[in-house]
């Protein structure tokens, strides 16, 4: 049987096998959509100890894949799953990936992250090197896979196998760069020429995301607005210089939503389903959650605001904490699901004690609760300081839960703000507690006028962010690289 793929995705998460956030969701949907559009695509990803294999069987297909210089004689095991027809290869090496978390514990990043992801990138390429033919495109994601384009850049000059392979990096969040001490550069096996300010060097450190930006044939990010924002010092996280140098190779492509997973009309986690044409059950979903969380029954008729996300400054959770007392004075209900910064976790838990029955906080990562909060809330909160794309607000639209969000990055590209006649939500310009509160007041005011509110809800539910459209944009960009897809 011929063994090769035209397009190979390399990424550190893929839903439903692994996920810490939106990256996992994107990998669970984009390659599969491309494959259904007829593209010959495969994914390579780590085999974490905590992989959710569910209904999918993993087969060991190579027990000793070498990883090459300077790693010899270290090898990887390669497993494979058939994910609805999409081949997914898993790189296994227990000492690197069989851990409780993916990248960090509460005490910080794993000390050997650099080594882990050098290993991962090299193993992916060695696995691809065993194919009968090289992939035409290697499409990598975020810093964990950032070294791949750097290796390709140097290898294709000397190894004819790679001569026609092109590379593309998608940046999902510029703030996570994989920045390490310079001495670790030696372990990568990259040639010394890569160590310069137009290469992998960043203020004396070894920067894996920068490697991807510097050496990919094309760079994309996950919304058009973020693609512009990251060229500025405010959002560039120090990489605005190299990004500006590469601006002609930079594209912004909006993410999509996987409506086979995120649609209240067929959601397997909801107590009952609903849709834009029959929305009555949304109230039942709300009632169900209020009961389960022992919340004030009168909230059934008052707005309940939902927040789901990593509890970090990026997501503006501190702004939410600041205004919670005022939201409570306004008689609203608030439900928060998230984990992250220990201080934010503690503050939120403490406030839950102060406002029993009106503020519910769940610290942790629970897929099913994320769906149920989307359905049960009336208004979705997303006060992000920056947001490359953001998927939760896209899901909230489909769940008939108009978002209140900053007008940054992908939030700006996905929400039509009130009072536009086509509005689907509410946005505010400054990531401050005052602007956020003002925007919530506006939403609550409209909520009190059911007819107007329902029009917005219905319009939000009908907004279409299906992956087919985004995937078609990716195909256009692949073609810019001369790849016939
Ligand atoms: P980011 O990738 O920056 O975290 P996105 O909005 O793109 O933000 O994607 C977040 C994804 O992670 C969504 O699928 C969301 O439901 C999920 N998520 C975030 N926090 C949690 C949590 N605590 N429990 C369950 N799912 C979560
Ligand atoms: C990142 C970003 C988020 C984006 C997701 C998927 O985690 O923070 O905005 O939606 O990646 O691309």
């Amino acid at each position: 049987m011929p063994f090769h793929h035209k397009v190979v995705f390399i990424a550190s998460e893929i839903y439903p096998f692994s996920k810490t956030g939106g990256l996992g969701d994107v990998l669970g949907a984009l390659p599969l959509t491309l494959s259904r559009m007829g593209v010959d695509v495969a994914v390579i990803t780590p085999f974490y100890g905590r992989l959710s294999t569910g209904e999918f069987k993993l087969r060991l297909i190579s027990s000793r894949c070498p990883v090459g210089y300077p790693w010899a004689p270290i090898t990887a095991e390669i497993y494979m799953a058939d994910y609805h027809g999409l081949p997914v290869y898993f790189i296994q090496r227990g000492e690197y990936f069989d851990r409780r978390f993916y990248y960090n514990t509460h005490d910080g990043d794993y000390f050997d992250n650099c080594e882990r992801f050098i290993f991962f990138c090299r193993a992916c390429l060695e696995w691809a090197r065993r194919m009968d033919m090289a992939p035409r495109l290697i499409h990598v994601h975020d810093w964990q896979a950032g070294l791949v384009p750097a290796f390709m850049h140097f290898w294709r000059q000397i190894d004819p196998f790679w001569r026609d392979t092109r590379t593309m990096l998608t940046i999902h969040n510029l703030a996570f760069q994989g920045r390490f001490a310079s001495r670790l550069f030696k372990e990568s096996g990259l040639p010394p020429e890569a160590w310069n300010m137009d290469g992998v060097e960043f203020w004396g450190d070894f920067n894996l995301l920068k490697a991807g930006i510097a050496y990919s044939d094309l760079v994309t990010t996950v919304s058009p607005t973020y693609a512009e924002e990251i060229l500025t010092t405010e959002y560039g996280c120090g990489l605005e210089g190299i990004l500006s140098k590469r601006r002609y190779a930079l594209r912004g492509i909006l993410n999509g939503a996987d409506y086979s997973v995120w649609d209240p009309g067929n959601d397997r986690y909801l107590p009952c389903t609903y849709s834009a044409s029959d929305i009555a059950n949304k109230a039942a979903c709300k009632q169900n959650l209020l009961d389960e969380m022992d919340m004030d029954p009168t909230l059934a008729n008052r707005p309940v605001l939902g927040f789901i996300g990593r509890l970090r400054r990026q997501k503006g959770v501190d702004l939410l904490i600041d205004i919670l007392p005022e939201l409570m004075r306004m008689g609203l209900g608030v439900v928060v699901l998230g984990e992250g910064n220990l201080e934010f976790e503690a503050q939120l838990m403490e406030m839950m004690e102060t406002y029993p029955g009106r503020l519910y906080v769940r610290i942790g990562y629970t897929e099913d609760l994320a769906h149920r909060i989307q359905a049960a809330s009336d208004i979705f909160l997303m006060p992000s300081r920056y947001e490359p794309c953001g998927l939760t607000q896209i899901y909230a639209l489909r769940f008939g839960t108009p978002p209140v969000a900053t007008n940054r990055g992908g939030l700006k590209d996905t929400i039509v703000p009130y009072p536009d006649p086509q509005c689907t939500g509410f946005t505010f310009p400054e990531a401050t507690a005052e602007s956020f509160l003002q925007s919530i007041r506006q939403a609550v005011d409209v909520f009190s006028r059911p007819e107007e509110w329902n029009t917005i809800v219905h319009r939000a539910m009908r907004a279409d962010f299906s992956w087919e459209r985004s995937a078609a944009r990716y195909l256009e960009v692949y073609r810019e690289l001369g790849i016939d897809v």
Side-chain angles (χ1 to χ4, degrees):
M1 206 169 87
F3 169 48
H4 57 79
H5 305 284
K6 190 175 269 176
V7 178
V8 169
F9 277 66
I10 298 183
S12 60
E13 298 177 20
I14 174 171
Y15 177 85
F17 302 98
S18 53
K19 161 171 169 179
T20 68
L23 174 68
D25 284 357
V26 171
L27 266 290
L30 172 60
L32 190 57
T33 307
L34 289 170
S35 142
R36 287 181 175 153
M37 290 164 98
V39 182
D40 171 15
V41 43
V43 178
I44 315 184
T45 194
F47 188 126
Y48 297 107
R50 309 189 82 192
L51 213 56
S52 316
T53 48
E55 65 195 275
F56 303 100
K57 286 214 166 30
L58 264 58
R59 272 187 307 123
L60 178 67
I61 54 170
S62 169
S63 55
R64 295 181 64 78
C65 177
V67 182
Y69 174 84
W71 290 75
I74 294 182
T75 57
E77 283 181 339
I78 314 288
Y79 286 77
M80 188 190 154
D82 176 344
Y83 171 49
H84 303 302
L86 172 78
V88 181
Y89 299 103
F90 294 89
I91 304 286
Q92 147 84 323
R93 182 150 184 108
E95 68 191 270
Y96 291 136
F97 300 122
D98 194 1
R99 301 187 184 179
R100 175 118 192 261
F101 302 100
Y102 298 171
Y103 317 122
N104 55 275
T105 67
H106 281 308
D107 299 328
D109 291 345
Y110 285 124
F111 76 97
D112 57 349
N113 269 354
C114 189
E115 186 179 327
R116 296 171 76 211
F117 287 99
I118 294 173
F119 171 83
F120 171 62
C121 290
R122 305 238 8 170
C124 289
L125 287 175
E126 288 302 329
W127 179 240
R129 184 73 181 77
R130 292 185 158 202
M131 296 180 185
D132 307 329
M133 244 164 61
R136 283 288 281 122
L137 176 69
I138 302 188
H139 182 171
V140 309
H141 298 262
D142 277 355
W143 70 266
Q144 293 89 343
L147 285 179
V148 167
F151 287 121
M152 291 308 310
H153 172 83
F154 292 103
W155 291 354
R156 69 186 173 200
Q157 300 170 21
I158 47 176
D159 182 348
F161 180 82
W162 295 118
R163 199 189 51 209
D164 296 325
T165 300
R166 295 291 164 264
T167 54
M168 185 163 131
L169 165 74
T170 296
I171 301 170
H172 295 260
N173 192 337
L174 202 59
F176 299 93
Q177 300 182 359
R179 183 174 171 177
F180 303 101
S182 58
R183 67 187 156 75
L184 294 167
F185 172 69
K186 279 198 258 0
E187 286 179 25
S188 71
L190 279 171
E193 306 94 276
W195 189 261
N196 70 78
M197 61 181 280
D198 291 326
V200 305
E201 188 266 342
F202 184 70
W203 300 102
D205 287 338
F206 182 29
N207 186 318
L208 306 199
L209 186 66
K210 191 177 175 203
I213 295 170
Y215 292 110
S216 293
D217 294 303
L218 276 179
V219 179
T220 70
T221 187
V222 287
S223 70
T225 296
Y226 193 59
E228 288 171 22
E229 288 172 345
I230 57 179
L231 300 176
T232 64
T233 42
E234 190 181 353
Y235 296 101
C237 301
L239 291 173
E240 58 278 5
I242 182 101
L243 284 163
S244 298
K245 269 189 192 149
R246 301 232 53 212
R247 67 190 309 154
Y248 299 105
L250 178 64
R251 309 278 180 276
I253 305 178
L254 198 64
N255 283 334
D258 185 345
Y259 293 128
S260 71
V261 180
W262 294 97
D263 184 337
N266 58 25
D267 193 304
R268 62 194 177 107
Y269 296 114
L270 302 189
C272 49
T273 57
Y274 62 92
S275 63
S277 50
D278 183 9
I279 202 175
N281 273 345
K282 181 165 171 69
C285 290
K286 179 173 176 183
Q287 190 59 53
N288 187 276
L289 198 79
L290 291 178
D291 292 345
E292 181 189 328
M293 292 171 172
D294 221 1
M295 288 181 82
D296 180 348
T298 66
L299 284 172
N301 304 312
R302 281 183 286 129
V304 167
L305 321 184
F307 177 99
I308 302 166
R310 292 177 288 113
L311 304 180
R312 297 181 61 112
R313 272 179 62 81
Q314 175 196 345
K315 300 289 175 186
V317 59
D318 52 317
L319 305 179
L320 174 61
I321 291 172
D322 284 353
I323 63 168
L324 268 174
E326 185 55 29
L327 299 180
M328 295 293 112
R329 271 194 289 277
M330 289 164 67
L332 308 172
V334 176
V335 178
V336 177
L337 168 64
E339 62 180 0
N341 183 306
L342 289 181
E343 218 167 290
F344 294 146
E345 291 184 0
Q347 279 174 308
L348 284 165
M349 290 310 285
E350 219 180 285
M351 291 180 106
M352 177 156 82
E353 306 258 304
T354 316
Y355 304 107
R358 296 223 285 116
L359 169 63
Y360 180 87
V361 177
R362 174 80 66 89
I363 302 298
Y365 200 93
T366 336
E367 196 69 29
D368 75 303
L369 194 53
H371 289 248
R372 289 188 291 121
I373 293 174
Q374 288 274 6
S377 314
D378 298 295
I379 296 171
F380 193 80
L381 304 179
M382 213 149 163
S384 307
R385 287 197 165 75
Y386 70 93
E387 197 59 74
C389 178
L391 294 169
T392 45
Q393 85 282 9
I394 303 182
Y395 304 153
L397 291 171
R398 179 52 61 105
F399 278 71
T401 313
V404 172
T406 47
N407 68 349
R408 306 278 163 89
L411 297 170
K412 183 169 177 204
D413 296 340
T414 52
I415 301 168
V416 181
Y418 182 87
D420 188 293
Q422 292 307 314
C423 68
T424 53
F426 302 78
T427 65
F428 55 99
E430 297 299 326
T432 61
E434 298 73 51
S435 303
F436 184 28
L437 186 59
Q438 203 182 344
S439 199
I440 293 177
R441 282 191 199 284
Q442 193 175 47
V444 169
D445 181 48
V446 180
F447 181 88
S448 69
R449 298 191 291 277
E451 211 174 308
E452 193 181 351
W453 183 256
N454 285 334
T455 312
I456 299 177
V457 166
H458 277 87
R459 200 181 299 117
M461 293 184 80
R462 292 204 164 94
D464 184 8
F465 292 96
S466 52
W467 264 109
E468 282 70 22
R469 196 181 303 169
S470 308
R473 267 296 288 145
Y474 277 99
L475 289 184
E476 282 171 25
V477 174
Y478 291 174
R479 288 185 197 116
E480 283 186 51
L481 288 171
I483 293 150
D484 58 330
V485 279

